């Protein structure tokens, strides 16, 4: 659903107490593998101005692989193999962190570095540790600079793009908003690089199939790893956690000031914030299985009820009790995510059965629900 432009444009300090800013590789590093220092100085000046006005800022910065690839003279921007990407990230991260620390220091700001993997935010205990660290850094008036730890991450444990990482960091930090600096100035009705008639969508109240269908998964620069699809997924995570998310152009100098003074952009409006545990569930990027439910179960879940075996049409995947599973309708829409109470083999055996029949099927009745409402988040 699209709505008129709101007063949130600019994510000003008076409206947004805590802001996450994501900068992609193509904005921070030029095609020759050098930091675009003059542009970066204007962004840091924006950050300093906002902090002086009382806004807390967290930066999610790409660029380590691109910087390291140049220094190591690796082909394909360091992305020719996993080993090259890891080596480039390990080398480039030093340059990247030094650059941020130096420019922030020039503005009287102390920087901190946090490197995380997907596992760090998918594991509940490590997620809480990351959240506590971010909170303490905010209390100490420090600007955390966060990046994915690509030097150790593999395909199985990678975010794959920093758009979704920024949204998850926003969730962990209980941020009020996330802004993604992009090579385009928002979400368009079609790819603006290919369709001159594409229209900018300035405010999005709800991410439905029509909004998701406007995405283009390609990365225009060839340097980054995310496209509009990853940005919409990031918006799902952020808005479900109670944070607004904006996509604005980073191709101009002082991009935050430019946006605040009337520059164009797209804002995804936050949904009412979920309780912390349910927000973590809704924002997870890895699931172990899928539970397909009928229309009756979909209606019951929408009312806040637990998922009973009777409403299950199909069980997909291999999982153990306590794993995270997606719950979807028979036409393929994911409507919820939760912690499963049975392993996949038992879940498949009791699918479609009434709770009172489970004991006869399994020889015992450990739990009457498949996913308890306290461990389930609607998405």
């Amino acid at each position: 659903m699209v709505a008129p432009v709101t007063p949130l444009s600019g994510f000003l300090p008076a409206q947004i107490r805590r802001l996450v800013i994501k900068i992609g590789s193509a904005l921070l590093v030029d095609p020759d593998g050098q930091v675009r220092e003059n542009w970066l100085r204007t962004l840091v000046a924006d950050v300093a101005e906002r902090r002086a006005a009382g806004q807390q800022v967290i930066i999610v910065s790409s660029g380590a692989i691109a910087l390291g690839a140049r220094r190591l003279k690796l082909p394909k921007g360091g992305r020719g193999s996993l080993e090259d990407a890891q080596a480039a990230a390990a080398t480039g991260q030093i340059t990247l962190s030094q650059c941020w620390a130096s420019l922030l220091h020039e503005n009287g700001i102390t920087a901190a570095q946090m490197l995380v993997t997907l596992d760090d935010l998918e594991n509940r205990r490590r997620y809480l540790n990351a959240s506590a660290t971010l909170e303490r850094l905010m209390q100490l008036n420090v600007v955390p600079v966060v990046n994915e730890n690509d030097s150790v991450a593999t395909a199985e444990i990678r975010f794959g793009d920093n758009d979704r990482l920024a949204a998850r960091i926003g969730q962990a930090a209980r941020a009020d908003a996330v802004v993604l600096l992009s090579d385009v100035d928002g979400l368009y009705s079609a790819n603006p690089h290919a369709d001159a008639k594409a229209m900018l969508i300035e405010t999005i109240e709800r991410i439905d199939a029509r909004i998701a269908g406007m995405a283009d998964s390609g990365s225009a620069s060839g340097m980054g790893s995310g496209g509009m699809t990853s940005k919409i997924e990031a918006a799902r995570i952020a808005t479900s956690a109670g944070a607004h998310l904006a996509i604005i152009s980073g191709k101009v100098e002082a991009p935050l000031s430019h946006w605040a003074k009337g520059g164009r952009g797209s804002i995804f409006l936050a949904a009412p914030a979920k309780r912390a545990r349910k927000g973590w569930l809704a924002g997870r990027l890895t699931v172990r299985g899928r539970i397909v439910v009928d229309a009756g179960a979909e209606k019951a879940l929408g009312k806040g009820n637990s998922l009973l075996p009777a409403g299950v049409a199909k069980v997909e995947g291999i999982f153990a009790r306590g794993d995270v599973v997606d719950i979807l309708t028979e036409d393929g829409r994911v409507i919820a995510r939760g912690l499963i109470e049975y392993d996949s083999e038992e879940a498949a055996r009791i699918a479609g059965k009434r709770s009172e029949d489970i004991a006869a099927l399994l020889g015992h009745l450990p739990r009457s629900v498949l996913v308890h409402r306290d461990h389930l988040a609607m998405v």
Side-chain angles (χ1 to χ4, degrees), residues 23-26 28-29 33 35 60-72 74 77-79 84-97 100 113 115 145-151 158 162 223:
I23 303 98
S25 297
L28 195 139
V29 183
V35 174
V60 174
S61 175
S62 305
I65 292 177
L67 291 171
R70 177 185 180 276
R71 179 158 293 189
L72 298 174
L74 293 171
R79 298 182 184 273
D84 278 0
Q86 290 174 325
T91 305
Q93 190 62 46
I94 294 175
T95 302
L96 183 65
S97 59
W100 278 111
Q113 177 181 263
L115 297 177
V145 180
V146 184
N147 195 6
E148 183 162 14
N149 193 356
D150 288 309
S151 62
R158 293 191 72 241
N162 275 2
M223 191 179 297

Side-chain angles (χ1 to χ4, degrees), residues 119 284 286-290 316-320 323-326:
D119 272 0
R284 279 181 59 102
T286 55
V287 295
R288 298 299 182 190
R290 290 153 52 102
E316 301 175 349
I318 299 174
F319 49 82
D323 282 344
V324 177
V325 297
D326 273 343

Side-chain angles (χ1 to χ4, degrees), residues 3-307:
V5 178
T6 76
L8 280 169
S9 185
F11 286 169
L12 299 176
Q15 303 157 323
I16 302 298
R17 178 185 63 95
R18 185 172 292 177
L19 177 67
V20 175
I21 304 167
K22 179 262 178 177
I23 303 98
S25 297
L27 296 175
L28 195 139
V29 183
D30 67 24
D32 294 327
Q34 301 272 19
V35 174
R36 298 179 61 223
E37 191 167 324
N38 290 337
W39 174 85
L40 189 55
R41 285 182 186 278
T42 71
L43 175 61
V44 172
D46 275 350
V47 171
E49 182 179 353
R50 284 171 175 262
R51 279 172 44 89
Q55 190 171 77
Q56 297 176 330
V57 174
I58 298 167
I59 293 169
V60 174
S61 175
S62 305
I65 292 177
L67 291 171
R70 177 185 180 276
R71 179 158 293 189
L72 298 174
K73 296 181 174 58
L74 293 171
K76 300 181 180 179
R79 298 182 184 273
S81 68
L82 175 62
E83 292 80 6
D84 278 0
Q86 290 174 325
T91 305
Q93 190 62 46
I94 294 175
T95 302
L96 183 65
S97 59
Q98 287 175 339
C99 183
W100 278 111
S102 175
L103 293 181
L104 288 166
H105 179 72
E106 288 178 10
N107 287 267
I109 301 170
T110 300
Q113 177 181 263
M114 283 187 67
L115 297 177
V116 299
T117 64
L118 177 62
D119 272 0
D120 292 324
L121 299 182
E122 299 288 89
N123 177 282
R124 180 67 176 167
R125 179 176 295 179
R126 299 211 298 270
Y127 172 88
L128 292 175
N129 288 340
S131 179
T133 300
L134 288 165
E135 186 62 37
R136 184 58 180 148
L137 289 171
M138 294 292 94
Q139 294 170 357
L140 293 170
N141 207 26
V142 171
V143 169
V145 180
V146 184
N147 195 6
E148 183 162 14
N149 193 356
D150 288 309
S151 62
V152 299
T154 62
E156 293 79 13
I157 58 168
R158 293 191 72 241
F159 282 91
D161 62 79
N162 275 2
D163 297 323
R164 289 178 290 185
L165 172 59
R168 285 291 263 164
I169 289 295
Q171 181 187 54
R174 294 186 290 278
D176 302 293
V178 177
V179 59
L180 306 178
L181 299 184
S182 176
D183 59 346
V184 295
D185 53 5
L187 174 67
Y188 281 78
S189 55
N191 187 337
H193 298 302
D195 187 348
K197 296 181 180 179
M199 302 287 291
L200 178 70
I201 311 299
E202 295 184 302
T203 308
I204 301 96
E205 287 187 330
R206 181 168 57 88
I207 302 172
D208 54 20
R210 184 170 69 91
I211 294 297
M214 295 176 185
D216 182 338
S217 62
S219 175
S221 68
M223 191 179 297
S225 52
M228 194 54 68
T229 297
S230 74
K231 290 173 176 55
I232 290 179
E233 286 303 310
R236 289 186 193 274
I237 296 167
T239 56
S240 70
H244 309 293
L245 182 138
I247 303 169
I248 67 171
S249 175
K251 297 177 77 172
V252 298
E253 292 192 347
L256 298 178
S257 296
H258 179 266
W259 182 40
K261 294 174 182 175
R264 287 149 62 87
S266 295
I267 298 177
F268 295 79
L269 299 179
K274 295 178 173 63
R275 287 190 303 164
R277 184 178 179 84
K278 292 198 173 188
W280 172 76
L281 277 170
R284 279 181 59 102
L285 299 177
T286 55
V287 295
R288 298 299 182 190
R290 290 153 52 102
I291 308 297
V292 180
V293 300
D294 59 26
E298 178 185 1
K299 186 175 180 180
L301 293 175
K303 293 180 178 179
N305 294 321
S306 300
L307 176 61

